């Protein structure tokens, strides 16, 4: 169990509605202030065993909650340092993120969506799609993107989550049982419904659609398989695509 999940259990948190981040912060000696910030999403300043976290009040409530969790992660792992986190540092998903930022992101995800509560919640949904992900995001007070990542990282579905913009792939995540050889292409294939969302301003996909796997993977064997794809807009000219693998042969390690 992670440090954040242990903290929640020690506080007796047994329901997502009980995850009061500002109250949790006080137990850690941290006071949270929500103020307009320029040039960063959040910052933490500590002195001894006390700290103040400033959160950008201009951001969405879900973004503010993740930022609080992120800064509490810094307080737990990187105490006695003055840190200013840019927008890209908090849940930025970039492969260039520092180990400190990745650790703070993991702490935030575990604090907002602890597995001992999240795993039973996701099992209440018979199918993984963006409708289910939205419901979970509402239940846990987390952003759609953070919730989608959490869903894909569980063992309840074999899936990939891919973010694209007009200039190509931004980042992706895969479920633990999806082999490394399934690495999504940088550029969207015109055959993929996701292509229309990015380049033709098409609306969100209402449900997953079947598509040849070679539209997503540059491997000769991909032409033998199909998968299911669903894409949605997430702002800033970017889309999230959920790729669901049903064919067990695709999951064979080779």
């Amino acid at each position: 169990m992670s440090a954040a999940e242990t903290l929640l259990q020690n506080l007796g948190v047994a329901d997502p509605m009980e995850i009061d981040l500002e109250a949790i912060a006080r137990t850690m000696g941290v006071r949270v202030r929500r103020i307009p910030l320029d040039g960063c999403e959040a910052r933490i300043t500590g002195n001894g065993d006390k700290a103040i976290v400033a959160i950008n009040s201009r951001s969405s409530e879900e973004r503010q909650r993740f930022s609080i969790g992120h800064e509490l992660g810094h307080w737990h792992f990187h105490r006695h340092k003055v840190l200013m986190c840019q927008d890209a540092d908090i849940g930025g998903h970039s492969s260039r993120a520092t180990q400190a930022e990745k650790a703070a992101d993991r702490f935030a995800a575990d604090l907002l969506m602890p597995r001992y509560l999240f795993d039973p919640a996701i099992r209440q949904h018979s199918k993984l799609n963006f409708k289910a992900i939205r419901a979970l995001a509402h239940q846990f007070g987390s952003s759609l993107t953070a919730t989608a990542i959490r869903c894909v990282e569980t063992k309840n579905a074999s899936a990939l989550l891919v973010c694209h913009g007009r200039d190509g792939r931004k980042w992706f995540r895969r479920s633990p049982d999806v082999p490394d050889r399934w690495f999504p292409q940088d550029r969207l294939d015109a055959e993929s419904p996701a292509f229309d969302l990015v380049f033709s301003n098409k609306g969100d996909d209402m449900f997953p659609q079947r598509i040849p796997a070679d539209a997503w993977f540059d491997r000769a064997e991909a032409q033998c398989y199909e998968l299911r794809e669903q894409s949605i807009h997430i702002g800033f000219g970017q889309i999230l695509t959920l790729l669901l693998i049903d064919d067990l042969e695709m999951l064979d390690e080779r």
Side-chain angles (χ1 to χ4, degrees):
M1 185 172 293
S2 72
E5 291 166 328
T6 299
L7 171 63
L8 291 173
Q9 290 211 330
N10 288 341
L11 293 172
V13 173
D15 187 275
M17 295 294 291
E18 298 173 356
I19 303 176
D20 184 333
L21 294 180
E22 295 186 44
I24 292 167
R26 287 195 292 272
T27 71
M28 299 174 68
V30 178
R31 183 160 59 93
V32 176
R33 299 176 59 205
R34 301 178 191 242
I35 59 175
L37 292 177
D38 295 315
C40 68
E41 274 295 301
R43 64 172 180 255
I44 183 168
T45 305
N47 183 14
D49 293 328
K50 303 292 183 182
I52 295 176
V53 164
I55 302 298
N56 189 1
S57 60
R58 298 189 181 102
S59 298
S60 68
E61 177 62 22
E62 294 80 10
R63 182 64 169 172
Q64 290 182 48
R65 281 174 57 78
F66 198 90
S67 294
I68 293 171
H70 182 95
E71 296 307 318
L72 292 180
H74 279 315
W75 184 239
H76 178 81
F77 293 115
H78 317 117
R79 193 168 296 196
H80 306 309
K81 295 182 180 180
V82 176
L83 298 164
M84 297 183 65
C85 296
Q86 309 300 318
D87 178 70
D89 293 331
I90 301 175
H93 321 300
S94 171
S95 60
R96 295 187 295 274
T98 66
Q99 291 303 312
E101 299 302 340
K102 289 178 180 178
D105 272 351
R106 287 193 296 271
F107 189 95
D110 288 340
L111 196 62
L112 269 67
M113 298 169 285
R115 292 193 183 278
Y116 71 90
L117 297 178
F118 194 85
D119 288 354
I122 194 175
R123 286 196 291 269
Q124 297 301 310
H125 298 270
S126 59
K127 298 179 180 178
L128 180 59
N129 52 39
F130 279 115
K131 180 180 179 180
I133 292 169
R134 284 192 176 94
L136 289 163
H138 178 75
Q139 182 178 357
F140 284 84
S142 50
S143 72
L144 187 66
T145 299
T147 308
I149 291 173
R150 198 63 158 177
C151 287
V152 166
E153 289 179 344
T154 68
K155 298 179 180 179
N156 290 281
S158 302
L160 294 94
L161 184 71
V162 193
C163 178
H164 275 94
R166 285 181 171 264
D167 55 348
R169 190 188 65 243
K170 302 295 184 182
W171 54 266
F172 77 96
R173 297 287 188 276
R174 60 165 70 90
S175 297
D177 62 339
V178 176
D180 291 348
R181 71 179 185 275
W182 298 118
F183 196 99
Q185 299 183 79
D186 179 61
R187 298 289 175 178
L188 286 168
D189 191 300
E191 187 178 356
S192 165
F195 184 93
D196 291 333
L197 266 73
V198 172
F199 295 102
S200 301
N201 295 319
K202 176 191 168 187
D204 293 349
D205 293 335
M206 299 304 295
F207 51 85
Q209 308 171 57
R210 288 209 167 272
I211 184 171
D214 60 2
W216 281 91
F217 305 110
D218 186 20
R219 296 184 62 87
E221 65 182 293
Q223 63 185 325
C224 303
Y225 305 115
E226 283 188 335
L227 45 73
R228 289 180 294 129
E229 166 191 335
Q230 185 183 15
S231 298
I232 61 168
H233 294 276
I234 57 170
F236 307 106
Q238 297 182 2
I239 66 165
L240 273 185
T241 300
L242 187 64
L243 300 175
L244 299 162
I245 297 176
D246 301 317
D247 194 324
L248 295 180
E249 287 189 11
M250 289 186 69
L251 305 178
D252 288 343
E253 294 287 356
R254 296 179 182 177

